[in-house]
Amino acid sequence: MVASAIFILDSKGKTLISRIFRGDVDADIAGDFCARVIDVDDESGLKPVFRVDSKQRTYAYVKYSNLYVVGVTMRNSNAAMLLEFLNKLVGVFKEYFKEVQEESIRDNFVIIYELLDEMMDFGFPQVSESKVLQQASRVPTPTKPAFVLEPLQYITQDYHVLEVPRPPVAVTNAVSWRSEGIKHSRNEVFLDVIEKVNIVISGNGSTLRSEILGSLMVKSLLSGMPDLKLGLNDRLQLSEAGKNRREKSVDLEDIKFHQCVRLSKFESDRTISFIPPDGEFELMSYRLNMQVRPLVWVDAVIELKATRVEYLVKVRSQLKPRCVANNVQIRLPVQLDADTPSFKCSSGKYKYVPAKDELVWTIKQLKAGRELVMRGRFNLPSIGENQERDNATKRPITVSFEVPYFAVSGLQVRFLKVMEKSGYRALPWVRYITQAGDYQIRIV
Amino acid sequence: MSKAFSNAKKGELFELKAELNSQSNSTRKEAVRKTIASMTIGRDVSGLFTDVLNCMQSPNIEIKKLVYLYIVNYAHTKPDLAILAVNSFVRDSEDPNPLLRALAIRTMACIRVDKIVEYLLEPLQRTLHDQDPYVRKTAAVCVAKLHAMNPELVQDQGMLDSLLDLLTDGNPMVVSNAVASLMDIAEYRPDFFKIDSPLVMKLLHALNECNEWGQVLLLDALAEYNPRNHDEADAIVERVTSRLQHANGAVVLAATRIVIANAEKLSSDEKRMNSLKKLTAPLISLLSANGEFQYVALRSIRIINQKYSFLFQNDVRVFFCKYNDPLYVKFEKVELLIALLDESNSSIVLQEMNEYASEVDMDFVKKSIEGIGRIALAHEASADKCVELLVALLKAGHDGVTDQAVVVLKNIFRSYPQRYLSVVEVICNNCESIGEPDAKASMIWIFGEYAEHIPQVVELLGELMEGFSTEPVSVQLQLLSAAVKVYLARGHEGKGLLESALRLSTKETYSTDLRDRGYAYSRLLSCGDEVARKVVMNERPAVSDTRGEMSADLQADLSRNMGKMSSLLMRKSASLRSPTAPPVLTVRDSDNLLSMGNDELLMIDDGPTDAIQGRENGSEQFLGTDDLIGALPSVANGSQPPQKDAKAGNLLDELFGAPGKRIDRQALERVEISFNSSGPGVSSSMLPVAPATAPARAQPLPPVDDILSLPATQPQK
């Protein structure tokens, strides 16, 4: 129903991996893909899903660094599922090989075939939790945990598997993401509330769109089968719990949960309860579609003169008192043919990156309420108007920064209860951070 | 192939062969690895079959897995040798280790060799009742594999019943695989498996316990169920709604599909509104995924939006393009912006579109300018603002931007004739910077159309006429038509122009299309200016834009298949039938588009193309199609005119070839389509072409159109 075959191609269209799951496709599936995607000059017609009618095949693909991860089907399959599966596949590779590139794929093809075998059967996705997979495929004895981190080494070395691997109970368990018998000497949970601000500001300073994408990353180092309950100052959760309205609350527009969270429970009384997988995972992500005041405000005047272009850039922190924005980077577009930058900034450093036609202004720390200025110019070799040169300044200014100990949405973790039948006490740690996500300021 | 090369290859294989038969475990393992590596890159290593098979006996599970992979790949080329592996498979399927049992049947069922299938039956029957769920879930899928190879066998052995039994299994993963397997089989025999209401309840219950993929498989199955009454619909939607909070986008979309499918069956309007409103936020959240999945989400939103536009009406800003969005995402967003435009947001949407028109990527720029034009056609209240923006773009005079602006303005002129006369002057002033054939053709059409209002029109066209022979046919056709119009509007003044146009198009061309049209005009003009004026200056059907709206039929089909391939391709699901079913209708190139006009085809490539349709009944088809062509640059810019000409020629032959042959309306329309295909979609004045020439040979001419009922005079020659 889903995929007839999965294959991975390098940037030139060479097959690195090809796994056929169903007999309804033949070996030349990659050829059509190359002809339609890799070998085309005009990229404007590319779409992640397309069909080769003469062969009744439909392709869906994900591009990751210089690789194409492709699924092909003869049916009217669930494309969303296929694409999501391909994404997960890349995710699993990442956990196994750290970097997912042509080379790492080539070097690890044996493991990849094994993974694919476990992850998909007859085109139906089966499991995609890398932790569970590590147990299911060829897992050596627990005395050799090094392989988890260094699968490469494991392949090249030849050592005998002493204990024949068995299917992990977790694969078919109701709790498919956690195995039993996990032990940690210190029982701890780390919660990171990471919020990204996506904002597009128009040239005249008005906010065109803004949203906050938050995610709650959990690192769980808990023994046994703990049952956790998380309390947030989510408005609905508070009102459900009958708390008074004076407590500050936020309106989470949409929440997405890791599969460990009991969705039906959340639906009925907004309680977030779950048995966590071991180690790091994203417990939930949420989105707030609220009008955010730009935390860091940048105003750039770029003036094109006959032989030079002049920049006057101002940056101002609009953070709450006592908050600090760290590693502020302001990337300004620069004309293609500009040269000899000469700038002065009241704080921080500037760097011209010709490869990206960017001028990057880096400020280590920007305290609340501070305003900094950078001014200077580039020389231009040719005079007059030039379309290509103009194009350079059509790009927006992008900004990146981090604000620690601060969640811009106002979200707070009220409690995290850990219940385990052995009754140990666990320590929850919470940290907040706000980052700039897609933070764009258009130039007038 | 040179001898050296083949020798080298042989040498490599030979070496591998030796290594595979080595005594050392590690050498053998390495050799198997190398063999698989060669297989992956497409080298034929099937010659090593027996040697690889020998390694199967290895107790090392890793080698075993690789050997199995090899067997699956080559068994069908060496069926006789594959049999040798059977014993080993059967033995493994009885191994105490469940992982091995599962591996054995999984691999065995992948071998598409008839003889092996027989041996599979017994182990499969046994493993379907295995005590380990891991083995059962694998066996469940194997039934579908077997069915794909030999349906009768599966039925005779009663395996379908065993599979149905697995639906009540205590393990959710076994249930979801059994469901997936049954649904897969049901594609071949729709009658055999129907989801009934007790099963629905069971599946809804299992939903909470499955992993994410199991959930999607179950939701896909649930979507096929048609609830019998309101209560059932209520229950399904209620249970499924919680899935909208799942981190996996595929789960969200599958749940959305079910909510949409059951929305109309809910017991109260209030419930319907509530459940539908719950879709908005999760769907918009999908837009923070990677580009590929955003595309899926945006297409789905487009489909939902047509029916329930209130869901996204207040969120138009989330569809604003980001600078770094992939192009296909930007295109989808622009489509949605156009569809969502209304009184309340028209100013911010237009401002945003105008912003895109000065971006760097030319394809995106064109798409946005075209979008502004489409808004003008679809939303009359915004037309003035749109024209204002387009004129500003025109004046800015960037390459490509001007071109696209003119093409778009042409459509606006067609829709609102005589309203924007002042714009004509701007176009005249900027005619130097217009270069692309499409844009040139549009500009020339505007010149012809507004000949009375442009004092210098004769000079302008005269200059263009000088380069006549170097222009593509699409521009030549427009020059010819414009010359006729100028002559009719300005009389004597345009005579020189007309004469050279007629001479160039009848005497000095190889294009049948152009020549025919040239002759048609000259005959028409020979009937006298009045008659010609009546035909040429006839009121043209206006174009409109439905903002990408699809027929209700198609919309329903797409939302039933939301998130599936057909909905992403925006085609009816029937056109993507499984290979066993007869193919319905496949369209691959623009050529086929010419002869067909149903909505399904028009949806093939999105864009304006599917949307612009004539208001008049009869011309609906031809306008739709010709604008479609106009938007497909490869066709319109004359790179393929020979094909088009040939087509037109053939049709004309068909039409005129046999004297006395009855001309039916359809055939005529087809001719029109072919004619207009080479123009930018402005040549409705060419309607009389066929009848004007037709009487010469084909006598019985049924009245086809009001234009056709003009006095059919014999050519005076």
Side-chain angles (χ1 to χ4, degrees), chain A residues 16 63 76-77 79-80 84 87 113 118 121 126 128 165 172 208 254-257 287 394-395 442, chain B residues 40 97 134 137 145 171 177 211-213 245-247 249 281 285 290 292 317 323 352 358 563 565-566:
Chain A
L16 301 175
K63 203 168 176 225
N76 189 11
S77 303
E84 197 74 327
N87 280 331
Y113 278 125
E118 213 55 57
D121 194 5
Q126 301 288 307
S128 58
T172 46
L208 286 173
D254 181 42
I255 311 180
K256 296 265 186 280
F257 290 109
R287 185 173 57 85
K394 283 177 185 168
R395 285 174 292 153
R442 291 182 185 165
Chain B
T40 298
N97 183 349
Y134 183 79
K137 75 137 184 137
K145 291 184 194 170
N171 187 295
N177 269 5
N211 77 7
E212 46 195 327
W213 307 115
Q245 250 67 56
H246 202 289
S285 289
N290 61 353
E292 286 90 1
R317 280 170 190 265
Y323 178 74
E352 186 69 11
S358 55
M565 293 294 178
S566 68

Side-chain angles (χ1 to χ4, degrees), chain A residues 195-237:
Chain A
E195 295 196 338
K196 284 198 168 131
V197 183
N198 288 348
I199 196 166
V200 179
I201 303 167
S202 79
N204 59 27
S206 62
T207 304
L208 286 173
R209 62 165 295 195
S210 64
E211 63 179 1
I212 298 167
L213 297 181
S215 86
L216 234 102
M217 299 300 295
V218 177
K219 188 176 182 183
S220 144
L221 303 171
L222 297 169
S223 315
M225 273 286 169
D227 206 325
L228 274 61
K229 201 171 157 191
L230 176 72
L232 300 171
N233 62 338
D234 168 24
R235 190 175 59 78
L236 292 171
Q237 197 181 66

